[in-house]
Amino acid sequence: MDEQLGTIKVKLRNISKSFYSRKEVFEAVDNISIDVYENEFLVLLGPGQCGKTVLLNMISGLESPTEGTVQFTDNNATDVGFVFQKTAVFPWKTVMENVELPLELKKEDKTERRKRAQYLIDLVGLNGFENSLPKQLSGGMKQRVGIARAYANNPQVLLMDEPFGALDAQTRYQMEEEVLRIWEQEKRTVIFVTNNIEEAVYLADRVIVLSSCPAKVKEIYNIKLQRPRDYVNQDFLRLREAIEKNTDLAL
Amino acid sequence: MGNQDEKTTSKVANSILIETAARKRERKQLLIISLVCIFLFFGIWEIAVRLNWIDGKYLCAPSAVIKTFMTKLSDPKPDGAVLGIHIITSLKLVLIGYIAAIIIGVPLGLLMGYYHTFDKLVSPIFEIIRPIPPIAWIPLSIIWLGVGTAAKCFIIFLAAFVPCVINSYTGVKLTPPVLVNVAKTCGATRWEIFSTVCVHYAMPLTFTGIQVSLGNAWSTLVASELVSATAGLGYMIQQGRSLVRPDIILVGMLTIGILGAIFTTLLSKLENKVVKWRAKS
Ligand SMILES: Nc1ncnc2c1ncn2[C@@H]1O[C@H](COP(=O)(O)OP(=O)(O)OP(=O)(O)O)[C@@H](O)[C@H]1O
Ligand SMILES: [Mg+2]
């Protein structure tokens, strides 16, 4: 099975995270070990407040684990792209400037970064909005900006933290399709967090189900359904039901 | 097909026209209401003085104020200088104190908001100075700096300084952590996070602070000129009191009011340019 999944990109080994306050210790993540394979679409599925964001923060290096290690096998490749749960666009920057930011911080040549940013803006379907300010964009469009910016980092691993949680159902379905299209076109290793089973089964190569707080690995599902997937296909529904029975999600 | 397109675009253009027309009408109505209100106010005032409801010793009519205003443009009597000199004298004090307060206060507040150690270093002193009314500094500043321009500028500076610091400080503190995290994952250094994220985020609040400072600067000006001066708008008001000339007092007050309004308008214009990204609520 392993050779099917390819080479390992990120190794999480016995990761735990606790937060200490004066009175008590709060365990958010408990002893998680995961291998993430190159170019796979990995979905972490877990109930609300179970430590999913904390886990992604540790993978990205924003927080460090209390115990355990995060290791990128490609040594000089710790660059990650992060699409945040809350819309995180800079309100004073235009769409173009937002997408350009990572390249600007890397002091890349101006015309080069324009070109790259324009390519990514076209890729996420924001063509024509380059000079718009975020206040002129809808929620879905802002998440598109976030995705384009994450790609601009030229990341080895793309982390997406419930990027569509705040969108209405219609937009959400559309964005799920888009994300797959973008991923097919610009292959990356994706770690996608969600609390929505349907979304997980629709997107993932592999679904890792997390328990409620503290987060532990509860079960791993390989999703072998053909893409594009159909939400009402028999196999899809069966898989969905199986996962549903096996989660702590309160739905 | 093409015909239909034309129709819809002309419909859109039409609706824009209708809306702007409606907006224009509304703006006109509001303007008329404002003007009527001003005329009523001054009309009643004028009548009240003319019919001797109010003693001329206490208050003079608006027409008299305008007359005095006109003569003061060229006549240095009775307070020793023409209006232009008073204005220039005061303007110089306010501008020096105010601009110095912005140049020092805003960066100080921004840095305090971002660097914890710097914050802990400066905050205690700042918190003690903050509640002291600027006027209470007058005696000390006279001892230190004499009765000249420097002392007055110093007091105005102190008055304008505090809101500049507090607002830019708060603005940085309120920067959403997620925006900082974005910059971090894009590889920003600490300084880059400060300069590309926090400073921008703090701008709207900083401008509010700068506006508040302006009011403080003008009100402290009058107090500082009461102490010792040979010219200036505050001095002029003070002379008006000694000479029992309410018209002179009112000319001085009015001039400060107009100058303040001009400054506020200019600042708002600048603010709208700098923070045009802010979503209108
Ligand atoms: N810096 C912190 N200090 C203390 N507690 C924290 C900190 N960060 C997160 N937590 C706690 O850890 C728990 C998990 O948080 P996390 O944000 O990872 O949940 P989540 O799975 O992403 O939830 P959601 O689905 O709502 O996004 C929460 O109960 C939260 O209060
Ligand atoms: Mg979360």
Side-chain angles (χ1 to χ4, degrees):
Chain A
M1 195 170 83
D2 266 14
E3 72 260 34
Q4 211 179 341
L5 289 163
T7 51
I8 295 174
K9 195 85 195 174
V10 191
K11 278 186 195 164
L12 309 187
R13 285 288 172 272
N14 307 99
I15 291 201
S16 300
K17 179 79 183 177
S18 308
F19 294 106
Y20 299 89
S21 67
R22 242 172 242 174
K23 283 195 196 126
E24 50 182 10
V25 180
F26 179 84
E27 257 187 292
V29 173
D30 182 24
N31 196 16
I32 286 188
S33 298
I34 298 174
D35 288 331
V36 186
Y37 298 94
E38 179 151 32
N39 291 346
E40 78 166 327
F41 202 115
L42 176 67
V43 171
L44 301 177
L45 175 68
Q49 293 296 303
C50 83
K52 305 184 294 291
T53 299
V54 172
L55 188 58
L56 281 194
N57 282 346
M58 287 189 290
I59 297 173
S60 70
L62 285 172
E63 283 179 72
S64 46
T66 321
E67 271 173 69
T69 54
V70 177
Q71 200 190 349
F72 287 74
T73 45
D74 200 353
N75 252 341
N76 46 3
T78 47
D79 273 351
V80 295
F82 207 136
V83 182
F84 289 86
Q85 184 167 3
K86 288 186 210 137
T87 36
V89 289
F90 296 103
W92 55 87
K93 286 181 183 291
T94 62
V95 169
M96 174 60 83
E97 289 163 349
N98 263 292
V99 176
E100 265 187 339
L101 180 78
L103 304 168
E104 196 184 330
L105 288 169
K106 280 184 188 136
K107 312 271 183 307
E108 228 169 87
D109 172 66
K110 182 139 190 181
T111 49
E112 274 303 304
R113 71 179 194 228
R114 260 292 122 101
K115 230 169 74 192
R116 172 85 182 140
Q118 186 64 55
Y119 167 75
L120 290 171
I121 287 171
D122 295 346
L123 183 68
V124 299
L126 283 179
N127 194 313
F129 292 94
E130 291 83 357
N131 297 317
S132 306
L133 285 167
K135 68 175 178 184
Q136 299 162 299
L137 304 181
S138 69
M141 288 158 94
K142 281 184 210 163
Q143 276 309 17
R144 284 168 197 259
V145 175
I147 293 169
R149 185 181 52 207
Y151 266 103
N153 230 353
N154 203 10
Q156 296 294 317
V157 179
L158 198 59
L159 307 172
M160 305 178 109
D161 190 2
E162 295 186 50
F164 313 137
L167 303 180
D168 61 273
Q170 195 63 40
T171 321
R172 187 168 185 152
Y173 286 132
Q174 196 190 342
M175 290 300 289
E176 286 166 11
E177 248 170 72
E178 290 276 293
V179 131
L180 282 183
R181 177 183 62 79
I182 295 166
W183 173 67
E184 302 281 359
Q185 208 167 329
E186 284 263 327
K187 274 281 179 182
R188 287 303 137 87
T189 309
V190 175
I191 305 178
F192 187 105
V193 160
T194 183
N195 60 11
N196 183 312
I197 301 172
E198 190 184 42
E199 185 170 75
V201 178
Y202 183 74
L203 293 174
D205 289 326
R206 252 186 344 144
V207 176
I208 295 185
V209 180
L210 301 173
S211 66
S212 60
C213 209
K216 277 191 285 253
V217 176
K218 196 159 183 195
E219 185 78 65
I220 300 178
Y221 293 90
N222 286 307
I223 314 285
K224 299 235 176 62
L225 301 173
Q226 201 124 40
R227 289 199 175 93
R229 290 172 189 164
D230 181 358
Y231 292 105
V232 289
N233 174 292
Q234 281 300 318
D235 296 330
F236 188 98
L237 290 174
R238 213 171 296 130
L239 202 53
R240 191 182 141 174
E241 207 167 307
I243 296 177
E244 206 162 326
K245 285 205 183 101
N246 197 16
T247 52
D248 304 342
L249 296 185
L251 287 175
Chain B
M1 209 35 191
N3 210 350
Q4 187 133 19
D5 274 359
E6 251 167 56
K7 240 188 217 159
T8 47
T9 45
S10 78
K11 228 189 222 165
V12 168
N14 242 346
S15 71
I16 290 173
L17 276 182
I18 290 168
E19 197 187 305
T20 46
R23 229 183 268 167
K24 258 186 208 156
R25 209 175 318 125
E26 193 185 301
R27 211 180 303 153
K28 215 192 239 166
Q29 277 168 355
L30 288 176
L31 186 71
I32 290 172
I33 291 173
S34 305
L35 287 178
V36 167
C37 200
I38 289 177
F39 273 112
L40 265 181
F41 176 74
F42 285 108
I44 291 172
W45 177 359
E46 182 82 34
I47 291 168
V49 176
R50 295 241 168 152
L51 297 182
N52 264 332
W53 295 345
I54 306 171
D55 194 334
K57 198 165 60 185
Y58 299 121
L59 197 64
C60 59
S63 58
V65 175
I66 294 171
K67 222 173 103 198
T68 312
F69 185 89
M70 290 310 190
T71 47
K72 275 308 293 173
L73 286 177
S74 56
D75 185 3
K77 270 183 291 193
D79 46 281
V82 295
L83 189 59
I85 299 284
H86 288 310
I87 291 177
I88 289 170
T89 312
S90 295
L91 213 50
K92 210 171 76 189
L93 293 178
V94 169
L95 282 181
I96 292 174
Y98 180 54
I99 290 173
I102 294 173
I103 289 174
I104 299 174
V106 170
L108 185 74
L110 293 172
L111 288 169
M112 273 167 67
Y114 191 63
Y115 290 103
H116 284 288
T117 29
F118 190 59
D119 184 14
K120 294 284 169 276
L121 208 71
V122 182
S123 278
I125 304 168
F126 184 72
E127 286 301 324
I128 293 170
I129 291 178
R130 188 162 90 129
I132 303 172
I135 302 169
W137 284 90
I138 292 179
L140 248 194
S141 54
I142 289 177
I143 293 176
W144 288 345
L145 299 164
V147 289
T149 314
K152 293 188 202 101
C153 287
F154 177 65
I155 298 158
I156 292 167
F157 165 81
L158 280 176
F161 177 69
V162 173
C164 283
V165 175
I166 293 175
N167 278 48
S168 43
Y169 173 86
T170 314
V172 170
K173 283 276 180 212
L174 289 178
T175 309
V178 69
L179 291 185
V180 173
N181 280 344
V182 170
K184 271 188 196 161
T185 53
C186 293
T189 60
R190 248 176 99 55
W191 173 256
E192 281 169 338
I193 291 170
F194 175 66
S195 61
T196 61
V197 183
C198 298
V199 169
H200 281 278
Y201 192 83
M203 270 310 121
L205 252 185
T206 304
F207 262 100
T208 312
I210 290 175
Q211 288 275 18
V212 174
S213 287
L214 183 67
N216 282 11
W218 279 108
S219 53
T220 317
L221 166 83
V222 176
S224 78
E225 284 185 343
L226 291 180
V227 178
S228 84
T230 52
L233 293 166
Y235 170 76
M236 180 177 163
I237 292 171
Q238 181 66 5
Q239 288 296 301
R241 186 192 64 85
S242 331
L243 302 165
V244 199
R245 286 279 303 269
D247 55 331
I248 299 243
I249 297 177
L250 282 169
V251 168
M253 287 167 63
L254 200 68
T255 311
I256 291 175
I258 291 170
L259 286 176
I262 291 173
F263 270 77
T264 307
T265 316
L266 289 179
L267 262 184
S268 305
K269 283 245 159 70
L270 181 68
E271 178 177 358
N272 286 338
K273 252 200 196 126
V274 174
V275 293
K276 68 164 180 274
W277 50 270
R278 182 172 39 181
K280 296 228 164 59
S281 51

